[in-house]
């Protein structure tokens, strides 16, 4: 099935982006296009639709470490009415395995009709298909800031209410795992971010437009440095 699909990596400021892009190309066995430094997640996703040559393409973030056993030739095209398929990824800090940070197969035409949502790809038309297979690891802990940002954004969105239709009990279980602690480099920053994300969601509930800040890299970095800058530099 290899010839049916294109592949794109989206990167912004991730320290390991070059290495993970090279790994993605090696494992997939195809050229992986790359969009780097695009301001605004919604804009980046829409631009991804314009750099591919195929209607269906694989999309990876620059913190995705693809499993070496992932076999592109076995990937089936999306069924009629399905806009996106999401493979699960392992979180190396808290052990969670779900769609967060996972590999995606997506329709170019669906991205061109992308609507408005805080969790940007939740606004695709058509259905999203979540599969049980694990495609790799989400390497969120590339720096103190990236670990904090992952916990902050994910737990803020889970606390707000999943735009993919996840029930409240499952969301609560994931928040509990993010906030309970973790093991690995910069795990404490992910935990701090998770707690702060829950608090942010409570605050923003009174002014829903504030949730848009979750997709503003400048605002996120300023918030992180205001609370953790000295600690991050000191290690």
């Amino acid at each position: 099935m290899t010839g049916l699909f294109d592949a794109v990596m989206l990167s912004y400021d991730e320290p390991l982006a070059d290495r993970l892009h090279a790994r993605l190309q090696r494992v997939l066995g195809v050229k992986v296009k790359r969009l780097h430094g695009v301001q605004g997640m919604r804009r980046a996703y829409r631009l991804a639709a314009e750099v591919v040559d195929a209607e269906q393409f694989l999309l990876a973030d620059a913190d995705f470490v693809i499993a070496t056993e992932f076999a592109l030739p076995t990937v089936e095209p999306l069924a009629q009415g399905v806009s996106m398929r999401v493979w699960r990824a392992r979180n190396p800090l808290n052990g969670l395995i779900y769609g967060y940070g996972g590999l995606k197969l997506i329709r170019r035409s669906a991205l061109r009709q992308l609507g408005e949502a805080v969790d940007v790809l939740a606004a695709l038309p058509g259905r999203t298909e979540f599969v049980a297979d694990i495609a790799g690891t989400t390497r969120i802990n590339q720096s103190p800031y990236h670990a904090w940002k992952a916990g902050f954004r994910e737990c803020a969105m889970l606390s707000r209410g999943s735009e993919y239709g996840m029930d409240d009990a499952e969301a609560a279980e994931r928040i509990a795992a993010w906030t309970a602690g973790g093991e690995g480099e910069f795990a404490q920053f992910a935990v701090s971010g998770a707690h702060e994300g829950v608090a942010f969601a409570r605050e923003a509930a009174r002014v829903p437009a504030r949730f848009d800040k979750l997709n503003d890299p400048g605002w996120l970095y300023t918030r992180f440095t205001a609370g953790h800058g000295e600690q991050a530099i000191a290690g």
Side-chain angles (χ1 to χ4, degrees), residues 9 20 24 60-67 89 101-103 135-139:
M9 171 181 273
L20 296 184
L24 191 62
D61 298 323
D63 53 11
F64 178 67
V65 185
I66 191 168
L103 185 66
T137 299
T138 178
R139 183 72 156 79

Side-chain angles (χ1 to χ4, degrees), residues 18-232:
D18 290 346
R19 287 168 54 187
L20 296 184
H21 178 252
R23 178 189 176 98
L24 191 62
Q25 290 196 131
R26 185 172 65 252
V27 173
L28 293 179
V30 297
K31 178 178 175 59
V32 177
K33 296 171 182 177
R34 185 168 166 189
L35 279 175
H36 179 74
V38 177
Q39 186 75 16
M41 293 180 65
R42 191 171 288 104
R43 180 168 176 259
Y45 285 129
R46 284 175 170 155
L47 285 174
E50 306 310 319
V51 303
V52 295
D53 300 312
E55 163 63 7
Q56 299 186 25
F57 67 99
L58 291 166
L59 183 66
D61 298 323
D63 53 11
F64 178 67
V65 185
I66 191 168
T68 55
E69 61 269 23
F70 186 88
L72 180 58
T74 67
V75 174
E76 294 291 334
L78 297 172
Q80 187 71 27
V82 177
S83 292
M84 180 172 66
R85 178 183 303 145
V86 182
W87 285 267
R88 298 193 299 169
R90 294 182 181 87
N91 185 312
L93 302 183
N94 56 37
L96 286 171
I97 300 174
Y98 65 113
Y100 173 80
L103 185 66
K104 300 164 182 72
L105 180 64
I106 194 164
R107 291 185 188 274
R108 175 174 58 183
S109 56
L111 275 178
R112 288 172 172 167
Q113 301 173 57
L114 187 63
E116 298 293 325
V118 176
D119 196 342
V120 179
L121 292 180
L124 288 169
R127 293 189 293 111
T128 296
E129 177 182 88
F130 293 93
V131 296
D133 296 340
I134 301 169
T137 299
T138 178
R139 183 72 156 79
I140 60 172
N141 57 330
Q142 296 183 34
S143 76
Y145 166 63
H146 290 88
W148 175 89
K149 180 178 70 170
F152 184 86
R153 292 186 73 253
E154 179 67 355
C155 286
M157 287 190 282
L158 287 171
S159 297
R160 178 178 182 264
S162 171
E163 291 169 305
Y164 287 103
M166 184 191 308
D167 64 49
D168 291 344
E170 188 174 4
E173 289 176 4
R174 290 177 180 174
I175 291 169
W178 277 94
T179 56
E183 298 181 357
E185 192 173 21
F186 309 131
Q188 73 272 26
F189 289 97
V191 174
S192 294
H195 283 285
E196 292 171 41
V198 172
F200 170 80
R202 293 195 190 106
E203 300 163 9
R206 297 189 292 271
V207 187
R210 288 196 66 201
F211 282 104
D212 289 339
K213 296 295 187 183
L214 295 175
N215 296 319
D216 182 338
W219 182 88
L220 288 164
Y221 188 73
T222 297
R223 183 159 181 140
F224 169 75
T225 54
H228 303 277
E230 291 186 7
Q231 180 189 6

